[in-house]
Amino acid sequence: MNKKTVWITGASSGIGQEFARQYARLGFRLILTARRKDRLDALAEELQNRYHVPCRVLPADLERDVDCEALCTVLAAERIDLFINNAGFGISGAIEFTETAEAKALFDVNFFGMVNMNRAVVPLMRQAGRGRIVNLSSVAAPVPIPFQAYYSATKAAVNAYTMALANELRPFGVTVCAVMPGDIHTGFTAARRKVSAGDDIYQGRISRSVKRMEHDEETGMDPAKAGAYIASVAMREGHHHPLYAIRFVYKFFTFLAKILPARFLNWLIGVIYGK
């Protein structure tokens, strides 16, 4: 019996690594993508030795169109049962002091990197009449955070794209969802690109907001538990929701985002992250 194949982007660290470990335990054949080949090689060796599963390493920088095109070419003949778009990073800072080039670079990875990868995967799944795509979003999508506006915007775009794609592919037996984690203790915090310019003009609000975010992340959810939850969502059969939040507290926040008037929701977010 052929093993099922899962392709994971952003697999070299954080919850991406945990996805790989979860699916290795289940006996999946793994395709691992990230920028750091050394980390991917180390992870592949760990999984092959521990779980005796095939691992294919395909390093790429999803900010680079040429890398995305190369991946699509290599995998054109693959059978992908499950695809997880996990690659991404964050930037913080005041909107007026964040260079447009920085914002575009964020969209190139968090949104268009996902788009480019899905363009390669969708035809394969459509022709096979089955498959599952999981896009990593964030609670910052329905709850836009001040001084993290562009990150929130990328994830809001992921949610809208996911819901549209799910309807387009439903007749072909392909399911699509986005998972919205909250604060998770990973290397994402240290990797955030910080724009501190203008903090004096904003009376220290930029640094205070980022400090609050980083504290919440560093004391956040264990990435292994987050990875296990998302892996379980990806494996669900039958009726599928297009959007999932992790943990009760974040499900509650997404619920509030649906029912509260926008004015009151934005006031509440400002009290937490904008002062």
Side-chain angles (χ1 to χ4, degrees):
M1 182 177 179
N2 292 331
K3 293 179 180 291
K4 287 187 176 182
T5 299
V6 58
W7 181 13
I8 305 167
T9 68
S12 64
S13 62
I15 56 176
Q17 278 189 344
E18 297 305 326
F19 297 149
R21 293 184 177 115
Q22 290 290 332
Y23 290 112
R25 291 188 188 101
L26 295 171
F28 275 66
R29 176 176 173 267
L30 301 170
I31 301 172
L32 307 176
T33 293
R35 289 180 298 174
R36 294 284 301 272
K37 184 177 185 301
D38 56 338
R39 292 184 180 179
L40 289 177
D41 287 339
L43 178 61
E45 183 178 3
E46 171 199 331
L47 300 179
Q48 288 168 341
N49 290 339
R50 181 177 296 180
Y51 301 108
H52 308 291
V53 293
C55 291
R56 185 174 185 180
V57 168
L58 295 175
D61 182 348
L62 300 190
E63 279 189 67
R64 292 164 46 87
D65 288 344
V66 64
D67 281 18
C68 293
E69 291 169 4
L71 283 176
C72 296
T73 300
V74 168
L75 294 172
E78 286 280 1
R79 187 204 71 187
I80 310 295
D81 299 286
L82 172 62
F83 182 48
I84 301 180
N85 279 296
N86 176 64
F89 69 96
I91 61 174
S92 63
I95 290 173
E96 69 166 300
F97 290 104
T98 303
E99 295 291 337
T100 301
E102 285 287 312
K104 286 183 176 179
L106 188 70
F107 269 90
D108 281 343
V109 175
N110 290 10
F111 182 71
F112 288 108
M114 171 197 70
V115 169
N116 290 338
M117 295 298 94
N118 283 344
R119 283 178 66 104
V121 170
V122 164
L124 305 177
M125 292 184 171
R126 175 175 50 77
Q127 291 164 15
R130 57 182 172 75
R132 180 99 161 122
I133 296 172
V134 179
N135 301 321
L136 263 290
S137 180
S138 170
V139 173
V143 184
I145 300 175
F147 307 114
Q148 199 173 194
Y150 290 113
Y151 179 75
S152 291
T154 64
K155 295 307 184 180
V158 168
N159 283 4
Y161 167 96
T162 296
M163 294 181 72
L165 185 62
N167 276 331
E168 291 181 15
L169 296 182
R170 183 175 291 111
F172 301 107
V174 179
T175 60
V176 187
C177 74
V179 181
M180 300 180 289
D183 298 311
I184 302 175
H185 181 52
T186 68
F188 181 90
T189 303
R192 179 182 284 114
R193 299 181 187 177
K194 300 177 186 178
V195 179
S196 58
D199 199 31
D200 55 338
I201 297 172
Y202 280 79
Q203 300 177 327
R205 290 168 59 219
I206 299 173
S207 56
R208 286 197 298 273
S209 180
V210 173
K211 184 178 180 180
R212 171 65 187 268
M213 285 188 290
E214 291 185 341
H215 173 269
D216 290 346
E217 289 166 354
E218 289 168 352
T219 58
M221 189 176 185
D222 179 354
K225 292 182 179 179
Y229 175 85
I230 297 170
S232 70
V233 166
M235 295 291 291
R236 288 180 184 174
E237 297 181 358
H239 180 70
H240 297 285
H241 298 288
L243 304 175
Y244 294 87
I246 298 179
R247 298 182 70 179
F248 174 79
V249 63
Y250 299 119
K251 292 178 181 179
F252 179 66
F253 278 129
T254 57
F255 175 71
L256 288 181
K258 292 177 183 178
I259 66 169
L260 290 179
R263 180 181 177 183
F264 183 70
L265 174 66
N266 220 33
W267 171 83
L268 182 61
I269 297 169
V271 168
I272 298 172
Y273 287 109
K275 286 189 173 183

